[in-house]
Amino acid sequence: MTVDLHNHTKLCNHADGEIDEYIEQAIKCGTKYFGFSDHAPMDFDPKYRMSFEQMKQYENDVLKAKEKYKDKIEVLLAYEVDYLKGHMDERVLNPNVDYLIGSVHFIDEWGFDNPEFIGNYENQDIDVIWQKYFDAIEEMANSKLFDIVGHLDLIKVFKFMPNKSITALAKNALLAIKKADMTIEINVAGFRKPVKEQYPSIDLLRLAYDLDIPITFSSDAHKPEQVGLFSEEVIKIAKDIGYKECAIYRKRKKEFISF
Ligand SMILES: [Zn+2]
Ligand SMILES: [Zn+2]
């Protein structure tokens, strides 16, 4: 993919490989804009993210690599921030970065995408879980704190699908995303999960296209060898829907790149 804006580093404690290895793999794949958006620190769930003390090191390492590879690829610096009320810290919301991805990984502090807590799906109405998830996405968009929505329909990760129409469940969230002038990513991590497809679904992408919501692309790589996988599939999906351009951000300013 020409643009690949969501990738991790080993600082989050659940990814492997060196920053240079991710970038070299991206160059091999023909990527022109490659963003690191590692999990931002948070006082909740600290095990799966860098610490506040590591932010400077992360930013310095990415900026050093940006300079090192500047003739071959443009490296961008970002964070993936959890939208979780009561746990979003000023230190991650106002850093000097290219963009912030806002993601919902928790419903009422339940890590619904973590296989460790998969048992919780049995105790609740699946339609209620899905609606709570998209309500959190809507709230996140209304907060206007972020530039890009991370994996818009992550709630499908284990393929526990709702009975209600997904576009109906997600409609208000998409309207809020449009109103907040946010971008959604087509994220290939879903191909590596039980759901076996990109986030978001084709139906949700069509709805986003009708609402004129921009897209971008991401590997969501947690290992260098995951960079650039499934890019042909998602580019075809985006083109078939009608998209011709995708967004990048520099210092929180959006620009469009044709793909
Ligand atoms: Zn991760
Ligand atoms: Zn995520």
Side-chain angles (χ1 to χ4, degrees):
M1 38 190 107
T2 311
V3 170
D4 186 351
L5 294 192
H6 180 164
N7 295 287
H8 295 276
T9 77
K10 63 184 182 186
L11 283 179
C12 67
N13 306 315
H14 63 278
D16 309 310
E18 300 304 321
I19 284 179
D20 283 10
E21 295 177 288
Y22 283 83
I23 297 172
E24 278 160 24
Q25 185 65 22
I27 294 169
K28 253 191 236 163
C29 296
T31 301
K32 298 282 174 246
Y33 304 89
F34 186 78
F36 286 99
S37 55
D38 209 358
H39 297 282
M42 178 164 70
D43 64 359
F44 186 80
D45 191 45
K47 192 165 101 185
Y48 293 108
R49 57 200 65 250
M50 71 181 81
S51 65
F52 287 100
E53 292 69 37
Q54 287 172 313
M55 288 176 76
K56 258 271 96 56
Q57 181 199 340
Y58 167 67
E59 293 173 19
N60 287 341
D61 288 353
V62 172
L63 292 175
K64 238 194 281 164
K66 180 188 183 78
E67 181 61 25
K68 176 174 171 187
Y69 289 99
K70 68 176 181 210
D71 296 331
K72 293 186 180 141
I73 193 166
E74 183 170 344
V75 173
L76 299 165
L77 171 63
Y79 284 99
E80 178 181 18
V81 181
D82 279 84
Y83 181 77
L84 183 58
K85 265 202 226 137
H87 299 284
M88 284 171 289
D89 194 291
E90 276 304 303
R91 286 171 285 180
V92 307
L93 293 174
N94 289 311
N96 189 21
V97 293
D98 291 308
Y99 55 92
L100 292 177
I101 297 177
S103 294
V104 173
H105 296 109
F106 300 94
I107 298 172
D108 305 330
E109 303 195 348
W110 164 41
F112 65 83
D113 71 328
N114 187 336
E116 258 180 74
F117 310 119
I118 197 167
N120 264 24
Y121 281 94
E122 285 167 27
N123 316 324
Q124 302 174 70
D125 179 332
I126 192 69
D127 286 344
V128 172
I129 295 175
W130 276 67
Q131 190 61 69
K132 277 187 180 172
Y133 172 79
F134 281 116
D135 288 350
I137 295 277
E138 182 182 348
E139 263 182 45
M140 174 180 78
N142 287 334
S143 77
K144 303 232 171 37
L145 293 169
F146 310 105
D147 306 294
I148 299 172
V149 181
H151 35 61
L152 175 66
D153 57 356
L154 178 64
I155 189 67
K156 73 184 176 188
V157 57
F158 297 119
K159 224 177 168 184
F160 298 139
M161 304 310 270
N163 303 305
K164 288 189 184 162
S165 136
I166 293 171
T167 46
L169 290 165
K171 186 73 190 272
N172 287 338
L174 277 160
L175 291 171
I177 289 165
K178 170 65 188 166
K179 207 166 141 209
D181 194 25
M182 290 178 83
T183 295
I184 60 171
E185 58 166 6
I186 305 187
N187 177 320
V188 304
F191 283 109
R192 311 192 298 257
K193 297 289 161 68
V195 71
K196 292 274 179 280
E197 66 169 28
Q198 78 292 333
Y199 306 112
S201 65
I202 289 176
D203 283 351
L204 288 179
L205 278 171
R206 283 206 188 101
L207 186 54
Y209 182 78
D210 291 343
L211 291 169
D212 199 22
I213 294 171
I215 53 161
T216 192
F217 293 97
S218 62
S219 292
D220 202 348
H222 286 71
K223 296 181 171 85
E225 59 268 32
Q226 290 171 344
V227 170
L229 294 183
F230 305 104
S231 61
E232 276 168 34
E233 285 90 333
V234 288
I235 285 166
K236 180 170 188 312
I237 288 169
K239 283 187 174 161
D240 286 350
I241 287 169
Y243 282 105
K244 294 182 177 65
E245 298 180 315
C246 65
I248 63 158
Y249 288 82
R250 293 188 186 101
K251 301 282 175 208
R252 314 293 301 268
K253 291 244 175 338
K254 179 164 46 335
E255 271 181 58
F256 288 101
I257 306 289
S258 36
F259 62 85

